[in-house]
Structure formats: C-alpha cells, structure tokens
Amino acid sequence: MLASRPPEWSHEQFIAWWRGEHAGVTLALPGLRRWRHMAVDRALEPRSEGWDGLSVLSFDTAEDLDLALASPEWKAAIAHVGPMRGRRIAVMGPEAELFTA
C-alpha cells in the first residue's frame, strides 16, 4: 500500500500515526506473516512526489489474504483510518525477493 497523509498533517505526524496507533490495529490481522514499512523521505522524480509511505503486508497465500480482508480485524483497521483525507493505492500480488546483500 502506498499512502499519503491528510493535507492538514505533517509527514512526521502521519508516519508516527501509521507506525504507532494504526499499527496496533493492523497487527491483529489474521494470517499476517510480515509487515514492512518505508517512510518516503524524497521522491526521485517529480511524477513520484506526494507519497509519504509504503507498506507491504505479507501473507502465505492469496486465500490467507482474502480471509484477512473479510475479517473483523480488517474492518477495524479500515474504520480506524475513518474519514482521513489522505490518498492510498492498495494492490496485491506475489512477492519476489530480487536481491539480498
């Protein structure tokens, strides 16, 4: 998930909320195996500007993800975001590790 903060929030406030308060709700997702988060500190080109962070939620199977999306915990996580006016792009697909040093 790629997300941007509400217009009235600072980048630092959004990242603190995402990694703190919102993480407390999201960590309860059934079947969640790993969660990686990156705070965006700069865009590498103008068309990439306007995003604050990236989360990768990992599940063992697409079925496990579907169960999580149908769960009361997912509904609680979505409700926790509430009417916040930030933007997000949420997608799913298989992960592939391309390099490890």
Side-chain angles (χ1 to χ4, degrees):
M1 179 175 304
L2 192 59
S4 67
R5 68 187 179 271
E8 64 275 6
W9 286 22
S10 70
H11 171 77
E12 295 75 19
Q13 180 183 9
F14 184 58
I15 296 302
W17 172 85
W18 198 347
R19 291 181 172 178
E21 183 182 327
H22 188 61
V25 177
T26 305
L27 287 171
L29 287 174
L32 182 62
R33 300 292 281 166
R34 185 174 58 247
W35 182 6
R36 300 189 69 164
H37 185 264
M38 179 185 75
V40 174
D41 60 7
R42 66 186 173 108
L44 302 181
E45 57 186 7
R47 70 181 185 169
S48 299
E49 292 175 356
W51 298 102
D52 290 285
L54 171 72
S55 269
V56 177
L57 302 174
S58 300
F59 297 86
D60 287 336
T61 66
E63 291 78 18
D64 288 342
L65 170 62
D66 291 340
L67 289 171
L69 294 176
S71 72
E73 292 85 356
W74 178 258
K75 289 176 183 56
I78 295 300
H80 185 253
V81 172
M84 188 180 352
R85 295 182 337 219
R87 298 179 304 144
R88 73 173 182 225
I89 296 172
V91 295
M92 68 175 225
E95 293 180 43
E97 181 135 0
L98 300 180
F99 175 78
T100 300

